[in-house]
Coordinates of all heavy atoms in Angstrom, one line a residue:
M159 N -18.5 81.1 -9.2 CA -19.6 80.2 -8.8 C -20.7 80.2 -9.9 O -20.5 79.6 -10.9 CB -20.1 80.6 -7.5 CG -21.0 79.5 -6.8 SD -21.3 79.9 -5.1 CE -22.9 80.6 -5.4
F160 N -21.8 80.8 -9.6 CA -22.9 80.8 -10.6 C -22.9 82.2 -11.4 O -23.8 82.5 -12.0 CB -24.2 80.7 -9.9 CG -24.4 79.4 -9.2 CD1 -24.5 79.4 -7.8 CD2 -24.4 78.2 -9.8 CE1 -24.6 78.2 -7.1 CE2 -24.5 77.0 -9.2 CZ -24.6 77.0 -7.8
N161 N -21.8 82.9 -11.2 CA -21.6 84.2 -11.9 C -22.8 85.1 -11.5 O -23.4 85.8 -12.3 CB -21.6 84.0 -13.4 CG -20.9 85.2 -14.1 OD1 -20.3 86.0 -13.4 ND2 -21.2 85.4 -15.4
R162 N -23.1 85.1 -10.2 CA -24.1 86.0 -9.7 C -23.5 86.9 -8.7 O -22.5 86.7 -8.2 CB -25.2 85.2 -9.0 CG -25.9 84.3 -10.1 CD -27.0 83.5 -9.5 NE -27.6 82.7 -10.5 CZ -28.8 82.3 -10.5 NH1 -29.6 82.7 -9.6 NH2 -29.2 81.5 -11.5
T163 N -24.3 87.9 -8.3 CA -23.8 88.9 -7.3 C -23.6 88.2 -6.0 O -24.3 87.3 -5.6 CB -24.9 90.1 -7.2 OG1 -24.3 91.0 -6.2 CG2 -26.2 89.6 -6.7
R164 N -22.7 88.8 -5.2 CA -22.4 88.2 -3.9 C -22.9 89.2 -2.9 O -22.4 89.4 -1.8 CB -20.9 88.0 -3.7 CG -20.4 86.9 -4.6 CD -19.0 86.5 -4.3 NE -18.0 87.5 -4.8 CZ -16.7 87.4 -4.6 NH1 -16.2 86.4 -4.0 NH2 -15.9 88.3 -5.0
Q165 N -24.1 89.8 -3.1 CA -24.7 90.7 -2.2 C -25.4 89.9 -1.1 O -26.1 89.0 -1.3 CB -25.8 91.5 -3.0 CG -26.5 92.5 -2.0 CD -27.5 93.3 -2.8 OE1 -27.3 93.6 -4.0 NE2 -28.6 93.7 -2.1
V166 N -25.2 90.4 0.1 CA -25.8 89.8 1.3 C -26.4 90.9 2.1 O -25.8 91.9 2.4 CB -24.7 89.0 2.1 CG1 -25.4 88.3 3.3 CG2 -23.9 88.1 1.3
T167 N -27.7 90.7 2.5 CA -28.4 91.7 3.3 C -28.2 91.4 4.7 O -28.3 90.3 5.2 CB -29.9 91.6 3.0 OG1 -30.1 91.8 1.6 CG2 -30.7 92.6 3.8
C168 N -27.9 92.5 5.5 CA -27.6 92.4 6.9 C -28.9 92.0 7.6 O -30.0 92.6 7.4 CB -27.1 93.7 7.4 SG -26.9 93.8 9.2
P169 N -28.9 91.0 8.5 CA -30.1 90.6 9.2 C -30.5 91.6 10.3 O -31.6 91.6 10.8 CB -29.7 89.3 9.8 CG -28.2 89.3 9.9 CD -27.8 90.1 8.8
H170 N -29.6 92.5 10.6 CA -29.9 93.5 11.7 C -30.5 94.8 11.2 O -31.5 95.3 11.7 CB -28.6 93.8 12.5 CG -27.9 92.6 12.9 ND1 -28.3 91.7 13.9 CD2 -26.7 92.0 12.5 CE1 -27.5 90.7 14.1 NE2 -26.5 90.9 13.2
C171 N -29.9 95.3 10.1 CA -30.4 96.6 9.6 C -30.8 96.6 8.1 O -31.2 97.7 7.6 CB -29.2 97.7 9.8 SG -27.8 97.4 8.7
Q172 N -30.8 95.5 7.5 CA -31.2 95.3 6.1 C -30.3 96.0 5.1 O -30.7 96.2 3.9 CB -32.7 95.7 5.9 CG -33.6 95.1 6.9 CD -33.5 93.6 7.0 OE1 -33.5 92.9 6.0 NE2 -33.4 93.0 8.2
E173 N -29.1 96.4 5.5 CA -28.2 97.1 4.5 C -27.6 96.1 3.6 O -27.3 94.9 4.0 CB -27.1 97.8 5.3 CG -26.0 98.5 4.5 CD -26.6 99.8 3.8 OE1 -27.5 100.4 4.3 OE2 -26.0 100.1 2.8
A174 N -27.4 96.4 2.4 CA -26.7 95.5 1.4 C -25.2 95.5 1.6 O -24.6 96.6 1.8 CB -27.0 96.0 0.0
N175 N -24.6 94.4 1.7 CA -23.2 94.2 1.9 C -22.7 93.3 0.8 O -23.4 92.5 0.2 CB -22.9 93.6 3.2 CG -23.3 94.5 4.3 OD1 -22.6 95.4 4.7 ND2 -24.5 94.3 4.9
F176 N -21.4 93.4 0.5 CA -20.8 92.6 -0.6 C -19.4 92.0 -0.2 O -18.7 92.6 0.6 CB -20.5 93.5 -1.8 CG -21.8 94.2 -2.3 CD1 -22.1 95.4 -1.9 CD2 -22.5 93.6 -3.3 CE1 -23.3 96.0 -2.3 CE2 -23.7 94.2 -3.8 CZ -24.1 95.4 -3.3
W177 N -19.2 90.8 -0.7 CA -17.8 90.2 -0.5 C -16.9 90.9 -1.5 O -17.3 91.1 -2.6 CB -17.9 88.7 -0.8 CG -18.7 88.0 0.2 CD1 -19.9 87.6 0.1 CD2 -18.3 87.6 1.5 NE1 -20.4 86.9 1.2 CE2 -19.3 86.9 2.1 CE3 -17.1 87.7 2.2 CZ2 -19.3 86.4 3.4 CZ3 -17.0 87.1 3.5 CH2 -18.1 86.5 4.1
T178 N -15.7 91.2 -1.1 CA -14.8 91.8 -2.0 C -13.6 90.9 -2.2 O -13.3 90.1 -1.4 CB -14.2 93.2 -1.5 OG1 -13.6 92.9 -0.2 CG2 -15.3 94.2 -1.3
G179 N -13.0 90.9 -3.4 CA -11.9 90.1 -3.7 C -12.3 88.6 -3.8 O -13.4 88.3 -4.3
N180 N -11.4 87.8 -3.3 CA -11.7 86.3 -3.4 C -11.6 85.8 -1.9 O -10.6 85.4 -1.5 CB -10.6 85.7 -4.2 CG -10.9 84.2 -4.5 OD1 -12.1 83.8 -4.3 ND2 -10.0 83.5 -5.0
P181 N -12.7 85.9 -1.2 CA -12.7 85.5 0.2 C -12.5 84.0 0.4 O -12.8 83.2 -0.4 CB -14.1 85.9 0.7 CG -15.0 85.9 -0.5 CD -14.0 86.3 -1.7
G182 N -11.9 83.7 1.6 CA -11.7 82.3 2.0 C -13.0 81.8 2.7 O -13.8 82.6 3.1
L183 N -13.1 80.5 2.8 CA -14.3 79.9 3.4 C -14.6 80.4 4.8 O -15.7 80.5 5.2 CB -14.2 78.4 3.3 CG -14.2 77.8 1.9 CD1 -14.1 76.3 2.0 CD2 -15.5 78.2 1.2
T184 N -13.5 80.7 5.6 CA -13.7 81.1 7.0 C -13.8 82.6 7.1 O -13.9 83.1 8.3 CB -12.6 80.5 7.8 OG1 -11.3 81.0 7.4 CG2 -12.6 79.0 7.9
D185 N -13.7 83.4 6.0 CA -13.8 84.8 6.1 C -15.2 85.3 6.6 O -16.2 84.8 6.1 CB -13.5 85.5 4.8 CG -12.0 85.4 4.4 OD1 -11.2 84.9 5.3 OD2 -11.6 85.9 3.3
E186 N -15.2 86.2 7.5 CA -16.5 86.7 8.1 C -16.8 88.0 7.4 O -16.0 88.8 7.0 CB -16.3 87.0 9.6 CG -16.0 85.7 10.4 CD -15.7 86.0 11.8 OE1 -15.3 87.2 12.1 OE2 -15.8 85.1 12.6
L187 N -18.1 88.2 7.2 CA -18.7 89.5 6.6 C -19.4 90.2 7.7 O -20.3 89.7 8.4 CB -19.6 89.2 5.5 CG -20.2 90.4 4.8 CD1 -19.1 91.2 4.1 CD2 -21.3 89.9 3.8
Y188 N -18.9 91.5 7.9 CA -19.6 92.4 8.8 C -20.3 93.5 8.1 O -19.8 93.9 7.0 CB -18.6 93.0 9.8 CG -18.1 91.9 10.8 CD1 -17.0 91.1 10.5 CD2 -18.7 91.7 12.0 CE1 -16.5 90.2 11.4 CE2 -18.3 90.7 12.9 CZ -17.2 90.0 12.6 OH -16.8 89.0 13.5
C189 N -21.4 94.0 8.6 CA -22.2 95.0 7.9 C -21.4 96.3 7.9 O -20.8 96.7 8.9 CB -23.5 95.2 8.7 SG -24.5 96.4 7.9
R190 N -21.4 97.0 6.8 CA -20.7 98.2 6.6 C -21.5 99.4 7.3 O -21.0 100.4 7.5 CB -20.5 98.5 5.1 CG -21.7 98.6 4.3 CD -21.4 98.8 2.9 NE -22.7 98.8 2.1 CZ -22.9 99.3 1.0 NH1 -21.8 99.9 0.4 NH2 -24.0 99.3 0.3
A191 N -22.8 99.2 7.6 CA -23.6 100.2 8.2 C -23.6 100.1 9.7 O -23.2 101.0 10.4 CB -25.0 100.2 7.7
C192 N -24.0 98.9 10.2 CA -24.2 98.7 11.7 C -23.0 97.9 12.3 O -23.0 97.8 13.5 CB -25.5 98.1 12.0 SG -25.6 96.3 11.6
E193 N -22.1 97.4 11.4 CA -20.9 96.7 11.9 C -21.3 95.3 12.6 O -20.4 94.7 13.2 CB -20.0 97.5 12.7 CG -19.5 98.7 12.0 CD -18.5 99.6 12.9 OE1 -18.3 99.2 14.0 OE2 -18.1 100.6 12.3
G194 N -22.5 94.9 12.4 CA -22.9 93.6 13.0 C -22.5 92.4 12.1 O -22.2 92.6 10.9
F195 N -22.3 91.3 12.7 CA -21.9 90.1 12.0 C -23.0 89.7 11.0 O -24.2 89.6 11.4 CB -21.6 88.9 12.9 CG -21.3 87.6 12.2 CD1 -20.1 87.4 11.6 CD2 -22.2 86.6 12.2 CE1 -19.8 86.3 11.0 CE2 -21.9 85.4 11.5 CZ -20.7 85.2 10.9
V196 N -22.7 89.4 9.8 CA -23.6 89.0 8.8 C -23.6 87.5 8.5 O -24.5 86.8 8.7 CB -23.5 89.8 7.4 CG1 -24.5 89.3 6.4 CG2 -23.6 91.3 7.7
T197 N -22.4 87.0 8.1 CA -22.3 85.6 7.8 C -20.8 85.2 7.5 O -20.0 86.1 7.3 CB -23.1 85.2 6.5 OG1 -23.1 83.7 6.4 CG2 -22.7 85.8 5.3
L198 N -20.5 83.9 7.5 CA -19.3 83.4 7.0 C -19.4 83.1 5.5 O -20.5 82.8 5.0 CB -18.9 82.1 7.7 CG -18.6 82.1 9.2 CD1 -18.4 80.7 9.7 CD2 -17.3 82.9 9.4
Y199 N -18.3 83.2 4.8 CA -18.3 82.9 3.4 C -18.8 81.5 3.1 O -19.5 81.3 2.1 CB -17.0 83.2 2.7 CG -17.1 83.2 1.2 CD1 -17.8 84.2 0.5 CD2 -16.4 82.3 0.4 CE1 -17.9 84.2 -0.8 CE2 -16.5 82.3 -0.9 CZ -17.2 83.3 -1.6 OH -17.3 83.3 -2.9
D200 N -18.4 80.6 3.9 CA -18.8 79.2 3.7 C -20.3 79.0 3.8 O -20.9 78.3 3.0 CB -18.1 78.3 4.7 CG -18.4 76.8 4.5 OD1 -18.3 76.3 3.4 OD2 -18.7 76.1 5.5
D201 N -20.9 79.7 4.8 CA -22.3 79.6 5.0 C -23.0 80.3 3.8 O -24.1 79.8 3.3 CB -22.8 80.3 6.3 CG -22.3 79.5 7.5 OD1 -22.1 78.3 7.4 OD2 -22.2 80.1 8.6
Y202 N -22.5 81.4 3.3 CA -23.0 82.1 2.2 C -23.0 81.2 0.9 O -24.0 81.1 0.2 CB -22.2 83.4 1.9 CG -22.5 83.9 0.5 CD1 -23.6 84.7 0.3 CD2 -21.6 83.8 -0.5 CE1 -23.9 85.2 -1.0 CE2 -21.8 84.3 -1.8 CZ -23.0 85.0 -2.0 OH -23.2 85.5 -3.2
I203 N -21.9 80.5 0.7 CA -21.8 79.6 -0.4 C -22.8 78.4 -0.3 O -23.6 78.1 -1.3 CB -20.4 79.0 -0.6 CG1 -19.4 80.1 -0.9 CG2 -20.3 77.9 -1.6 CD1 -19.6 80.7 -2.3
R204 N -22.9 77.8 0.9 CA -23.9 76.7 1.1 C -25.3 77.2 0.8 O -26.1 76.5 0.2 CB -23.8 76.2 2.5 CG -22.5 75.4 2.7 CD -22.5 75.0 4.2 NE -21.2 74.4 4.5 CZ -20.8 73.2 4.4 NH1 -21.7 72.3 3.9 NH2 -19.6 72.8 4.7
N205 N -25.7 78.4 1.3 CA -27.0 78.9 1.1 C -27.3 79.2 -0.3 O -28.4 79.0 -0.9 CB -27.3 80.2 2.0 CG -27.3 79.8 3.4 OD1 -27.6 78.7 3.8 ND2 -27.0 80.8 4.3
A206 N -26.3 79.8 -1.0 CA -26.4 80.1 -2.5 C -26.6 78.8 -3.3 O -27.5 78.8 -4.2 CB -25.2 80.8 -3.0
I207 N -25.9 77.7 -3.0 CA -26.0 76.5 -3.7 C -27.4 75.9 -3.4 O -28.1 75.4 -4.3 CB -24.9 75.5 -3.3 CG1 -23.6 76.0 -3.9 CG2 -25.2 74.1 -3.8 CD1 -22.4 75.3 -3.4
H208 N -27.8 75.9 -2.2 CA -29.1 75.4 -1.8 C -30.3 76.1 -2.5 O -31.2 75.5 -3.1 CB -29.3 75.5 -0.3 CG -30.6 74.9 0.2 ND1 -30.8 73.6 0.4 CD2 -31.8 75.5 0.5 CE1 -32.0 73.3 0.8 NE2 -32.6 74.5 0.9
A209 N -30.2 77.4 -2.6 CA -31.2 78.2 -3.3 C -31.2 77.9 -4.8 O -32.2 77.9 -5.4 CB -31.0 79.7 -3.0
E210 N -30.0 77.8 -5.3 CA -29.9 77.5 -6.8 C -30.5 76.1 -7.1 O -31.2 75.9 -8.1 CB -28.4 77.5 -7.2 CG -28.2 77.3 -8.7 CD -28.7 78.4 -9.6 OE1 -29.2 79.4 -9.1 OE2 -28.7 78.2 -10.8
A211 N -30.2 75.1 -6.2 CA -30.8 73.8 -6.4 C -32.3 73.8 -6.3 O -33.0 73.2 -7.1 CB -30.2 72.8 -5.3
E212 N -32.8 74.6 -5.4 CA -34.3 74.7 -5.3 C -34.9 75.4 -6.5 O -35.9 75.0 -7.0 CB -34.7 75.5 -4.0 CG -34.6 74.7 -2.8 CD -35.1 75.5 -1.6 OE1 -35.4 76.7 -1.7 OE2 -35.2 74.9 -0.5
R213 N -34.2 76.4 -7.0 CA -34.6 77.1 -8.2 C -34.7 76.1 -9.4 O -35.6 76.1 -10.2 CB -33.7 78.3 -8.5 CG -34.2 79.2 -9.7 CD -33.2 80.2 -10.1 NE -32.0 79.6 -10.7 CZ -32.0 79.1 -12.0 NH1 -33.1 79.2 -12.7 NH2 -30.9 78.6 -12.4
V214 N -33.6 75.3 -9.6 CA -33.5 74.4 -10.7 C -34.6 73.3 -10.6 O -35.3 73.0 -11.6 CB -32.1 73.8 -10.8 CG1 -32.1 72.7 -11.8 CG2 -31.1 74.9 -11.2
L215 N -34.8 72.8 -9.4 CA -35.8 71.8 -9.2 C -37.2 72.3 -9.5 O -38.1 71.6 -10.0 CB -35.7 71.2 -7.8 CG -34.7 70.2 -7.5 CD1 -34.6 69.8 -6.0 CD2 -34.9 68.9 -8.3
A216 N -37.4 73.6 -9.1 CA -38.7 74.2 -9.3 C -39.1 74.3 -10.8 O -40.2 74.3 -11.2 CB -38.8 75.6 -8.7
Q217 N -38.1 74.4 -11.7 CA -38.3 74.4 -13.1 C -38.9 73.1 -13.6 O -39.5 73.1 -14.6 CB -37.0 74.7 -13.9 CG -36.5 76.1 -13.7 CD -35.2 76.4 -14.4 OE1 -34.6 75.5 -14.9 NE2 -34.8 77.6 -14.5
F218 N -38.6 72.0 -13.0 CA -39.0 70.7 -13.5 C -40.1 70.0 -12.7 O -40.5 69.0 -13.1 CB -37.7 69.8 -13.5 CG -36.7 70.3 -14.4 CD1 -35.5 70.9 -13.8 CD2 -36.7 70.2 -15.8 CE1 -34.5 71.4 -14.7 CE2 -35.8 70.7 -16.6 CZ -34.6 71.3 -16.0
T219 N -40.5 70.6 -11.6 CA -41.5 70.0 -10.8 C -42.3 71.1 -10.1 O -41.9 72.1 -9.9 CB -40.9 69.0 -9.8 OG1 -42.0 68.4 -9.1 CG2 -40.0 69.7 -8.8
E220 N -43.5 70.7 -9.7 CA -44.3 71.6 -8.9 C -44.5 71.1 -7.5 O -45.3 71.6 -6.7 CB -45.7 71.8 -9.6 CG -45.6 72.4 -10.9 CD -47.0 72.6 -11.6 OE1 -48.0 72.5 -10.9 OE2 -47.0 72.9 -12.8
A221 N -43.7 70.1 -7.1 CA -43.7 69.6 -5.8 C -42.9 70.5 -4.8 O -42.4 71.5 -5.3 CB -43.1 68.2 -5.8
S222 N -42.9 70.2 -3.6 CA -42.2 70.9 -2.6 C -40.7 70.8 -2.8 O -40.1 69.8 -2.6 CB -42.5 70.4 -1.2 OG -41.6 71.0 -0.2
T223 N -40.1 71.9 -3.3 CA -38.6 71.8 -3.6 C -37.8 71.7 -2.4 O -36.7 71.0 -2.5 CB -38.2 73.1 -4.4 OG1 -38.5 74.2 -3.6 CG2 -38.9 73.2 -5.8
A224 N -38.1 72.2 -1.3 CA -37.3 72.0 -0.1 C -37.3 70.5 0.3 O -36.2 70.0 0.7 CB -37.9 72.8 1.1
A225 N -38.4 69.8 0.2 CA -38.5 68.4 0.5 C -37.7 67.6 -0.6 O -37.0 66.6 -0.3 CB -39.9 67.9 0.5
D226 N -37.7 68.0 -1.8 CA -37.0 67.4 -2.9 C -35.5 67.5 -2.7 O -34.7 66.6 -2.9 CB -37.3 68.0 -4.3 CG -38.7 67.6 -4.7 OD1 -39.3 66.7 -4.1 OD2 -39.2 68.3 -5.6
V227 N -35.0 68.7 -2.3 CA -33.6 68.9 -2.0 C -33.2 68.0 -0.8 O -32.1 67.4 -0.9 CB -33.3 70.4 -1.7 CG1 -31.9 70.6 -1.2 CG2 -33.5 71.2 -3.0
A228 N -34.0 67.9 0.2 CA -33.7 67.1 1.4 C -33.6 65.6 1.0 O -32.6 64.9 1.4 CB -34.7 67.3 2.5
H229 N -34.5 65.2 0.1 CA -34.5 63.8 -0.4 C -33.2 63.5 -1.2 O -32.6 62.5 -1.1 CB -35.7 63.5 -1.2 CG -35.8 62.1 -1.7 ND1 -35.8 61.0 -1.0 CD2 -35.6 61.7 -3.0 CE1 -35.8 59.9 -1.8 NE2 -35.7 60.3 -3.0
L230 N -33.0 64.5 -2.1 CA -31.8 64.3 -3.0 C -30.5 64.3 -2.2 O -29.6 63.4 -2.5 CB -31.7 65.5 -4.0 CG -30.6 65.5 -5.0 CD1 -30.6 64.3 -5.9 CD2 -30.7 66.8 -5.8
K231 N -30.4 65.1 -1.2 CA -29.2 65.1 -0.3 C -29.1 63.7 0.4 O -28.0 63.2 0.5 CB -29.4 66.2 0.7 CG -28.2 66.4 1.6 CD -28.4 67.5 2.6 CE -27.2 67.7 3.6 NZ -27.4 68.8 4.5
Q232 N -30.2 63.2 0.9 CA -30.2 61.9 1.5 C -29.7 60.8 0.6 O -28.9 60.0 0.9 CB -31.6 61.6 2.1 CG -31.6 60.2 2.8 CD -33.0 59.9 3.3 OE1 -34.0 60.6 3.1 NE2 -33.2 58.7 3.9
V233 N -30.3 60.8 -0.6 CA -29.9 59.7 -1.6 C -28.5 59.8 -2.0 O -27.8 58.8 -2.1 CB -30.8 59.9 -2.9 CG1 -30.3 59.0 -4.0 CG2 -32.3 59.5 -2.5
L234 N -28.0 61.1 -2.2 CA -26.6 61.2 -2.6 C -25.6 60.8 -1.5 O -24.5 60.4 -1.7 CB -26.3 62.7 -3.0 CG -27.0 63.1 -4.3 CD1 -26.8 64.5 -4.6 CD2 -26.5 62.2 -5.5
A235 N -26.1 61.0 -0.2 CA -25.2 60.6 0.9 C -25.2 59.1 1.1 O -24.3 58.6 1.8 CB -25.8 61.3 2.2
E236 N -26.2 58.4 0.6 CA -26.2 56.9 0.8 C -26.3 56.2 -0.5 O -27.3 55.8 -1.0 CB -27.5 56.6 1.6 CG -27.5 57.3 3.0 CD -28.8 57.0 3.7 OE1 -29.6 56.2 3.3 OE2 -29.0 57.7 4.7
P237 N -25.1 56.1 -1.2 CA -25.1 55.5 -2.5 C -25.7 54.1 -2.6 O -26.2 53.7 -3.6 CB -23.6 55.4 -2.9 CG -22.9 56.2 -1.9 CD -23.8 56.4 -0.7
E238 N -25.7 53.3 -1.5 CA -26.2 52.0 -1.5 C -27.7 52.0 -1.7 O -28.3 51.0 -2.0 CB -25.8 51.2 -0.3 CG -26.4 51.8 1.0 CD -25.6 52.9 1.6 OE1 -24.6 53.3 1.0 OE2 -26.0 53.4 2.7
Q239 N -28.4 53.2 -1.5 CA -29.8 53.3 -1.6 C -30.3 53.6 -3.0 O -31.5 53.5 -3.3 CB -30.4 54.3 -0.6 CG -30.1 54.1 0.8 CD -30.8 52.8 1.3 OE1 -31.9 52.5 0.9 NE2 -30.2 52.1 2.2
R240 N -29.4 53.9 -3.9 CA -29.7 54.3 -5.3 C -30.2 53.0 -6.0 O -29.7 51.9 -5.8 CB -28.5 54.9 -6.0 CG -28.1 56.2 -5.4 CD -27.0 56.7 -6.2 NE -26.3 57.7 -5.3 CZ -25.0 58.1 -5.5 NH1 -24.3 57.6 -6.5 NH2 -24.5 59.0 -4.7
L241 N -31.1 53.2 -6.9 CA -31.6 52.2 -7.8 C -30.7 52.0 -9.0 O -30.3 53.0 -9.6 CB -33.0 52.5 -8.3 CG -34.1 52.6 -7.2 CD1 -35.4 53.0 -7.8 CD2 -34.2 51.2 -6.5
S242 N -30.4 50.8 -9.3 CA -29.5 50.6 -10.5 C -30.4 50.5 -11.8 O -31.5 50.0 -11.7 CB -28.7 49.4 -10.4 OG -29.5 48.3 -10.2
A243 N -30.0 51.1 -12.9 CA -30.8 51.2 -14.1 C -30.5 50.0 -14.9 O -29.6 49.3 -14.9 CB -30.5 52.4 -14.9

């Protein structure tokens, strides 16, 4: 993906957990310390992409990156709304 760590912090006990191998989108991650459910790999990927998009947008603007990502998502979902150059 972005060649970054796949470390995920457990929301229950704050323990660091890692995906091993090449997980499928529906693979679940459980905490190695408290054995609580952490996330699905699909959700992990979506969150990582969202965070990366916000980080990249923040490099080019000082506006609200969360609002920019939401607007970008809306524009990409509705091609008829795009302005032609």
Side-chain angles (χ1 to χ4, degrees):
M159 191 172 98
F160 299 115
N161 200 18
R162 296 184 184 209
T163 180
R164 294 190 283 181
Q165 178 179 330
V166 183
T167 303
C168 176
H170 310 290
C171 70
Q172 308 309 311
E173 179 72 25
N175 295 277
F176 302 90
W177 293 99
T178 57
N180 190 17
L183 293 178
T184 59
D185 287 357
E186 298 174 338
L187 180 64
Y188 288 91
C189 182
R190 60 188 177 155
C192 72
E193 299 181 1
F195 175 75
V196 178
T197 188
L198 291 172
Y199 191 64
D200 185 48
D201 293 337
Y202 165 77
I203 293 295
R204 289 177 192 272
N205 291 335
I207 290 171
H208 184 81
E210 182 69 7
E212 284 186 350
R213 187 191 67 77
V214 170
L215 280 173
Q217 290 179 347
F218 300 103
T219 182
E220 294 181 15
S222 170
T223 56
D226 291 343
V227 169
H229 176 69
L230 180 60
K231 183 177 178 181
Q232 178 184 1
V233 169
L234 291 175
E236 301 173 12
E238 65 277 1
Q239 298 297 325
R240 297 182 199 157
L241 298 176
S242 58

